Amino acid sequence: MDAWNEEPKPGSQPDEEPGQVIWLFDPEADGPGPLACSPVELFAMLDAAAGRMGLGDVAVTGVIGGLRRRGRWCSFELAGHQPGQESPEALVRVVLFAAVASRVDAALAEAGRELRDGMGATVSGAVRFDPAWGGVRLVGRDVAIHEERAEVAARRDVLVEELTTSGLAAAQAALVVPGRPLHIGVIAGAGTAGDADVQALLDASGLEWRLTRRSVAMAGPGAPPAVADALAQLGRVKPDVIVVARGGGGRGELACWDSETVARAIAACPVPVWTAIGHATDATVADRMANRSCATPSAAAAALVERVRDFERRRHERVVLRAHGERVAAIEAGARRARIVAALAVMALVVLLVLLAR
């Protein structure tokens, strides 16, 4: 507490001076210590605290992304963006249980619309903590749609159209991956599941690989320039193919892969780029720009292994066919020689008989 009195109050210490900080507690003294609790108790306290703060009734506005239907209920994210920013500033996970989801779907259907990614919406509901998943989510009771296509989704559509019209979207398709790729560039987050999945599958194949890695941030505002720089670096190294591996996550966490920075970096890369981003159902601008889009990092590694095995199998078949051809040719040459020898023998016999007849 700051005391800014011009004159000391009666009863104050004689050495007090104007502007002196007077502590009403001893900051060096030990407090009661941390509150001991179990995970279940912690979530119960968080839920109770949210109720006391009035978070049982909130209306959150953002952009819908990562919409997933699970039977009769659905979940998605509401992303909050600063104007002109590609990456979300904040994400709120939302769940609509069966009764609410059915009511929202019916109301939108009457207006000729349906819930989908890219919509600007306000979700009303209560903040709830989810002990089983270790997170926080908004349990919605109503959804109000403000616009069919929010600014972020519209900007993505414009970017795709611009890249397609300029021909950049076809740049990677013109590049050819060697039949037996040996040198693989990998762009992934350090220590992430995506990176580990690629490494594990390549190691398990028993084939020979040479990996050149670039570990960068794969989400957040700093991710697009970091990924673009990694692509430029590996492009100068010239591996046979570059795999960009980023495991699953919410749709808002994949905003980096819809950015113009990453899209243009992929198009400019002189090496074939394979994207392996998110879940199998996720599709990004980066996927459209890539030489090949794989559903997951594991799928990308499996495709590399299969490509090499196909190459080795075809090479083995060529060797076998060539050897078989050589054997057949040798047999045919031997047969031709035998026929010639037989013909010469017959001719010699005829000549001999003619001579004897004289």
Side-chain angles (χ1 to χ4, degrees), residues 11-35:
S12 62
Q13 297 298 322
D15 59 348
E16 288 178 3
E17 298 177 358
Q20 181 182 0
V21 176
I22 302 173
W23 293 99
L24 301 182
F25 65 94
D26 183 358
E28 300 299 328
D30 293 335
L35 177 63

Side-chain angles (χ1 to χ4, degrees), residues 302-347:
L304 284 170
V305 172
E306 185 61 26
R307 187 180 188 88
V308 173
R309 285 181 174 159
D310 281 345
F311 176 82
E312 297 292 350
R313 186 162 46 246
R314 289 193 300 271
R315 185 169 66 176
H316 176 69
E317 289 173 353
R318 287 194 297 271
V319 171
V320 171
L321 286 173
R322 184 166 57 250
H324 175 70
E326 290 172 353
R327 285 195 300 271
V328 169
I331 292 171
E332 290 178 348
R336 284 195 300 272
R337 286 193 298 271
R339 287 195 296 271
I340 292 171
V341 169
L344 291 174
V346 170
M347 292 174 62

Side-chain angles (χ1 to χ4, degrees), residues 10 19 37 53 58 82-83 123 151 160 207 209 260 264 277 336:
C37 60
M53 292 296 295
V58 296
Q82 288 289 351
V123 178
E151 177 193 355
V160 170
L207 299 169
W209 306 97
E260 181 175 0
R264 291 187 178 277
I277 299 165
R336 284 195 300 272

Side-chain angles (χ1 to χ4, degrees), residues 36 66 70 119 211 225 288 323 331:
R70 295 174 172 83
M119 284 181 160
L211 300 185
R288 298 192 186 193
I331 292 171

Side-chain angles (χ1 to χ4, degrees), residues 36-52:
C37 60
S38 69
V40 173
E41 292 168 335
L42 175 60
F43 273 97
M45 289 186 286
L46 289 171
D47 207 41
R52 290 194 299 271

